[in-house]
Amino acid sequence: MDALASLLDGPRAHGAFLLRSVLTPPWSLRIADEAPLTLVHVVQNDAWIRTGDVPPRRLGAGDIAVVRGPEPYTIAGDPDTEPRIVIHPGQVSTTAEGVELCERMDLGVRTWGDVPADPARPGELPPGCGVLVTGTYEMGGEIGGRLLSALPRVLVLPAGAWSSPLPALLGEEVVRDEPGQEVVLDRLLDLLLIAVLRAWFARPEAAAPAWYAAQADPVVGPTLRLLHDDPAHPWTVADLAARTGVSRAALGRRFTELVGEPPMAYLTGWRLALAADLLREPDATIAAVARKVGYGSPFALSAAFKRVRGISPQQYRERTAAAS
């Protein structure tokens, strides 16, 4: 398993929030839902996305944006339009003055907006109408944290930069109400996220993180796969060097040069990221978590966890439980 696959193989969408938005100009949304990650597919007409003090970025029809939270952002049909609607945590929508809009703007199955369907022209929308399909991961996961930290605040994958049936398929499925539909949408959202990130990381402007670029190296790539395939194994630099056919010094030098930290430091970070995610499971004991990530005892895991993260596994578990 490569590093990207490992990082995406942990937390998955579970009851993710998916919505088709249909909005007449001039429209502008302030997204303050505090979600860790959101995908926005612009289906019809242009949109503009703005975060903080950064100049707004244009999104053309077919483009996909991945927005890293939890800070708020604005998406609008025109960059000069002030937000008229605010999306709060729990996906509660209000006017800028605080008047609730959820029921008023409900247009049917996972469809929301201010453009009611015209019975005389089913499926047709007024000119200039903005259409978005949004998928929101509302719960964070520590395995994804290493990946999220490598992403910009907003990344945009232009429609012409790749070819995939997934955006259109998600758009079709989001408005269906069939048995098991929530699971279908969760899995489609996961697939779309992976496909978008893979396509984006391959682009020169992506400035892919060191661990991603290093996978192509004939020495470091196999080493990363060994660490991700079996993080609980009692790895040493000597073991890894023997598996990759180089000396310990050569492996350590090459790995640090390309990844930015020595192999054992990388392994520690990966083990503790796995441990942090497992600690979110209420039935998992610290002893069981320690065994799964390569520590011989709960004490050894606790010592490493506190040294790197500043709190014990139990304190971490209590904090995440309180925050959820």
Side-chain angles (χ1 to χ4, degrees):
M1 183 181 293
D2 61 49
L4 180 60
S6 296
L7 291 168
L8 292 170
D9 194 44
R12 298 179 181 179
H14 182 72
F17 182 79
L18 290 111
L19 188 70
R20 181 175 182 262
S21 300
V22 186
L23 301 158
T24 54
W27 62 271
S28 180
L29 311 175
R30 178 69 167 168
I31 313 298
D33 59 5
E34 300 179 4
L37 190 72
T38 300
L39 279 78
V40 180
H41 178 218
V42 180
V43 179
Q44 179 173 301
N45 290 313
D46 290 352
W48 293 81
I49 190 165
R50 180 173 62 234
T51 58
D53 297 328
V54 178
R57 297 182 63 179
R58 175 183 169 275
L59 304 174
D63 292 355
I64 294 180
V66 178
V67 187
R68 177 170 54 84
E71 293 79 9
Y73 61 97
T74 299
I75 185 164
D78 184 282
D80 296 324
T81 303
E82 289 298 316
R84 300 186 173 192
I85 298 172
V86 181
I87 310 299
H88 303 273
Q91 303 304 325
V92 174
S93 57
T94 70
T95 65
E97 294 73 31
V99 179
E100 188 165 333
L101 295 171
C102 294
E103 291 187 11
R104 189 189 310 178
M105 298 184 72
D106 185 359
L107 298 180
V109 178
R110 299 184 194 85
T111 304
W112 175 92
D114 58 0
V115 185
D118 184 348
R121 297 179 177 178
E124 289 190 26
L125 297 173
C129 181
V131 181
L132 311 172
V133 172
T134 305
T136 302
Y137 290 79
E138 298 188 281
M139 296 298 293
E142 281 298 316
I143 293 181
R146 198 176 187 112
L147 174 63
L148 291 176
S149 66
L151 298 178
R153 179 75 174 85
V154 177
L155 71 84
V156 176
L157 184 65
W162 72 319
S163 177
S164 172
L166 290 171
L169 182 58
L170 182 62
E172 292 173 6
E173 291 289 340
V174 75
V175 295
R176 291 185 178 177
D177 188 15
E178 303 286 343
Q181 193 67 11
E182 188 173 278
V183 176
V184 169
L185 292 173
D186 283 348
R187 296 292 76 79
L188 279 175
L189 180 59
D190 289 337
L191 287 171
L192 181 57
L193 172 63
I194 294 169
V196 167
L197 292 180
R198 187 170 59 184
W200 184 78
F201 277 138
R203 294 175 63 80
E205 71 271 21
W211 53 259
Y212 183 85
Q215 293 178 110
D217 185 79
V219 173
V220 179
T223 303
L224 284 168
R225 284 189 287 275
L226 288 170
L227 297 177
H228 281 264
D229 282 344
D230 192 1
H233 184 81
W235 294 110
T236 65
V237 176
D239 291 336
L240 294 168
R243 295 283 194 97
T244 53
V246 297
S247 69
R248 286 179 294 177
L251 174 60
R253 182 170 57 251
R254 186 71 175 163
F255 195 100
T256 303
E257 176 187 343
L258 295 183
V259 179
E261 59 185 339
M264 293 300 100
Y266 182 90
L267 177 59
T268 296
W270 176 233
R271 283 173 169 171
L272 294 182
L274 288 167
D277 191 63
L278 292 169
L279 287 166
R280 292 173 178 266
E281 300 176 7
D283 297 331
T285 66
I286 294 177
V289 171
R291 287 193 299 272
K292 286 184 178 181
V293 300
Y295 287 93
S297 67
F299 176 79
L301 172 61
S302 296
F305 204 96
K306 191 166 187 178
R307 183 179 69 253
V308 173
R309 292 175 174 257
I311 58 174
S312 70
Q314 184 59 37
Q315 290 171 320
Y316 173 83
R317 168 173 273 171
E318 292 168 355
R319 288 187 186 182
T320 53
S324 62

